[in-house]
Amino acid sequence: MKTDDVEYTSFSGWTDPPSDVRSALREDVTCEVAVVGGGLGGMSTALRLAERGRDVVLLEAEFCGYGSASRNAGQVAGAPGGDIQLLSMLYPRRFPGVVRFAENAAHFLERMIERLDIDCDYEATGNVCAAVSRGQMGRVRRVTKLLRKAGAKVEPGTSAELGIPRGFLGGMRESVGGTMNPGAFSLGVRRAVLASTARVFERTRVTDVTRNGDHVVIRSPGGEVRANKVVLATNAFGGDLAITPKRLSVPIWVSEVETEPIDPARLAALGWTSRSGVVTQHNIMENYRLTSRNTIVFGVRRLVRGKNHPLPPRKPDQAVVADLARAFETRFPALADVAAARAWGGWVAITPSWLPVAGTIGGDVFYSVACNGHGLAQAPYAGSLIADLIVDGEQHEDLKTLWAKKPTFPRPLMMGASGLRTIWTVDRFNDLINGSRRNARRGAAPGTDHHRRADGADR
Ligand SMILES: Cc1cc2nc3c(=O)[nH]c(=O)nc-3n(C[C@H](O)[C@H](O)[C@H](O)COP(=O)(O)OP(=O)(O)OC[C@H]3O[C@@H](n4cnc5c(N)ncnc54)[C@H](O)[C@@H]3O)c2cc1C
């Protein structure tokens, strides 16, 4: 895969920034509820509160949809992310609730697209957790059992049965969810919030959130907001604000790449009949999906830990794009001559438990991090449940599942730069062994694997 002419963008490959960015806060205002952060979580909270008649102010540092909301891969998951075997073992009682939350979140998103009439190319194809080796196939079978036991709608199968390319052995389809253009979706949600009664201030970076008697004061360079309640929806940027609970999440940079447009006949020859998004079973996943513009978007595989707050804007590293391109050639040998056209990335928040989390600090400041790389549906769903809690004073069952009794969190494991590098190395070592095994079965030298598969020799 050629990577010489990749356009590296510091925003998103899905959409351009909006041309009607709202002006910053330039005076002191009061409101019932203030929401900090205009991602999908914050916009959904503000929209729901406005729809339910609350006086709400939304403050966003850049423009609504600036963060991972517009940058993600657009794969709407219908089941939880992370290491399912580990999560079901560590949290046996909570696990079925987390599965139900993930499924309800995907349905919530589908209703939101319909209700707000957002044109975002949503395809209800489900997504496949795919195996690239026999070892991963074993893992898929174990994960399928655990998820089914917890009530998830998942189906195992071979790549032919699941309608995914033959570069994958098979996998498990999450039948709820699908794929979309997340840039178009975020801008659609933004339009709905701007049209609501919520007062939206963009280009407004909140610098501090403090309590003052019976209200909360939110500071920004241009003015203060006095609110009865505050919702922190800052996702991976949470550490920028002192009030965010310590160790709530670790900021991790992940990258996506998009190919140039591919001849539809060549795409059809892949056997990707289901059009389901695909994520591999590596410790750090690879993701692949078709788009409505006849390209393939693929990414992750390497994680970069954010060290200092405030988190800087950045572009993907060339070395990471080259690594992703190598993976693309292995999974799609028949498309090895296709060029990578653009690359972008964003900050995701990984919680120490790898579970979505929500809670309150003192009863008037609320937070949620429903991410772990699965927040496209989960962040807006959690945000709207927090809005309902503020209005009704009662928690939905799904919010109870996420609720942290106290805002204290353990130190995250393996999330330092060397830990992440070790995980990547283990994945590559396993890939190498599996490549050698495949070649040995075919009597070929290691390293020639993808050329053989390009010829269809193993099909
Ligand atoms: C490359 C990539 C691929 C991904 N792929 C998928 C996927 O396929 N499926 C999936 O489910 N999830 C995926 N995710 C994760 C998903 O995008 C996130 O979980 C989800 O968008 C997070 O919620 P959010 O939209 O509210 O956060 P964000 O969009 O990050 O919103 C946070 C907002 O808060 C603002 N902010 C922060 N601090 C302040 C402050 N002090 N003052 C004012 N505003 C502030 C930021 O500017 C930002 O706009 C991916 C993420 C990335 C980056």
Side-chain angles (χ1 to χ4, degrees):
M1 164 167 259
K2 256 180 54 182
T3 54
D4 309 342
D5 298 325
V6 174
E7 178 200 344
Y8 289 84
T9 152
S10 56
F11 177 45
S12 165
W14 294 108
T15 187
D16 292 326
S19 53
D20 59 344
V21 178
R22 287 277 172 104
S23 46
L25 183 67
R26 291 269 171 261
E27 58 183 348
D28 294 347
V29 297
T30 57
C31 65
E32 219 176 324
V33 189
V35 179
V36 182
L40 290 170
M43 287 194 283
S44 302
T45 310
L47 185 60
R48 182 80 170 171
L49 286 165
E51 285 169 350
R52 300 201 62 188
R54 290 301 185 267
D55 169 28
V56 56
V57 163
L58 173 61
L59 304 161
E60 161 57 44
E62 304 288 339
F63 52 83
C64 292
Y66 164 82
S68 42
S70 300
R71 299 161 186 252
N72 62 71
Q75 294 183 221
V76 181
D83 185 331
I84 297 296
Q85 297 181 90
L86 199 64
L87 293 180
S88 63
M89 191 176 76
L90 292 176
Y91 313 103
R93 286 205 302 193
R94 262 172 91 184
F95 189 66
V98 176
V99 168
R100 190 193 54 220
F101 168 76
E103 186 175 322
N104 286 346
H107 288 313
F108 171 84
L109 194 83
E110 287 169 336
R111 283 196 301 275
M112 199 167 166
I113 294 169
E114 214 174 280
R115 194 171 65 82
L116 301 179
D117 194 19
I118 300 176
D119 182 3
C120 59
D121 300 332
Y122 180 63
E123 295 183 60
T125 55
N127 284 283
V128 172
C129 296
V132 300
S133 65
R134 286 188 187 175
Q136 286 196 7
M137 208 53 209
R139 186 165 163 167
V140 163
R141 280 193 207 100
R142 292 191 294 277
V143 166
T144 305
K145 261 196 203 152
L146 291 169
L147 283 171
R148 279 188 161 170
K149 198 169 149 212
K153 297 182 181 66
V154 290
E155 283 299 325
T158 62
S159 50
E161 286 163 351
L162 297 171
I164 59 169
R166 304 299 180 266
F168 306 94
L169 294 182
M172 171 199 83
R173 183 193 333 274
E174 302 168 7
S175 51
V176 177
T179 62
M180 61 143 81
N181 175 330
F185 178 65
S186 289
L187 289 184
V189 180
R190 177 177 178 273
R191 271 192 298 277
V193 185
L194 295 186
S196 76
T197 56
R199 284 176 280 165
V200 180
F201 298 94
E202 299 184 302
R203 299 184 180 120
T204 303
R205 183 172 300 281
V206 170
T207 51
D208 204 13
V209 179
T210 50
R211 283 207 184 77
N212 188 352
D214 60 351
H215 60 270
V216 187
V217 179
I218 299 135
R219 293 198 176 79
S220 79
E224 290 183 1
V225 180
R226 282 166 57 116
N228 299 336
K229 291 192 165 52
V230 173
V231 180
L232 303 174
T234 47
N235 190 31
F237 303 87
D240 297 6
L241 294 173
I243 193 161
T244 304
K246 273 202 176 46
R247 300 194 290 259
L248 173 62
S249 69
V250 173
I252 299 283
W253 175 267
V254 294
S255 305
E256 296 289 329
V257 182
E258 183 172 14
T259 66
E260 62 183 341
I262 304 169
D263 179 351
R266 295 186 75 191
L267 285 177
L270 294 174
W272 205 338
T273 50
S274 65
R275 293 185 63 83
S276 299
V278 172
V279 293
T280 64
Q281 287 291 294
H282 292 92
N283 293 307
I284 303 176
M285 70 173 183
E286 295 165 15
N287 68 272
Y288 301 93
R289 55 153 298 184
L290 292 162
T291 73
S292 63
R293 45 200 191 207
N294 289 331
T295 62
I296 296 175
V297 167
F298 59 103
V300 190
R301 191 157 134 128
R302 266 203 205 185
L303 308 176
V304 178
R305 165 92 190 244
K307 289 194 201 105
N308 303 315
H309 287 279
L311 292 173
R314 56 170 290 171
K315 295 176 182 175
D317 296 335
Q318 286 187 9
V320 172
V321 171
D323 188 40
L324 287 168
R326 275 193 295 279
F328 182 91
E329 283 187 25
T330 311
R331 314 293 169 229
F332 299 93
L335 300 180
D337 61 320
V338 167
R342 62 185 65 80
W344 67 91
W347 293 106
V348 298
I350 305 290
T351 58
S353 63
W354 273 86
L355 294 175
V357 175
T360 176
I361 310 154
D364 49 5
V365 177
F366 299 83
Y367 61 89
S368 74
V369 181
C371 177
N372 296 310
H374 275 53
L376 171 55
Q378 297 182 9
Y381 183 46
S384 87
L385 294 180
I386 287 180
D388 285 345
L389 168 66
I390 289 172
V391 176
D392 301 328
E394 272 174 39
Q395 274 183 5
H396 187 283
E397 277 304 302
D398 286 345
L399 193 57
K400 280 185 194 160
T401 300
L402 316 190
W403 209 249
K405 286 198 186 96
K406 284 191 286 181
T408 49
F409 300 95
R411 195 171 289 284
L413 295 175
M414 296 297 283
M415 281 292 149
S418 58
L420 295 175
R421 177 87 199 164
T422 305
I423 300 173
W424 178 85
T425 308
V426 169
D427 278 338
R428 294 301 71 78
F429 180 70
N430 287 333
D431 279 352
L432 196 70
I433 292 181
N434 293 317
S436 306
R437 279 199 192 125
R438 273 196 300 270
N439 288 319
R441 279 199 295 278
R442 285 183 230 122
T448 58
D449 182 42
H450 64 267
H451 299 298
R452 292 201 157 263
R453 284 197 287 164
D455 297 333
D458 67 341
R459 286 177 203 159

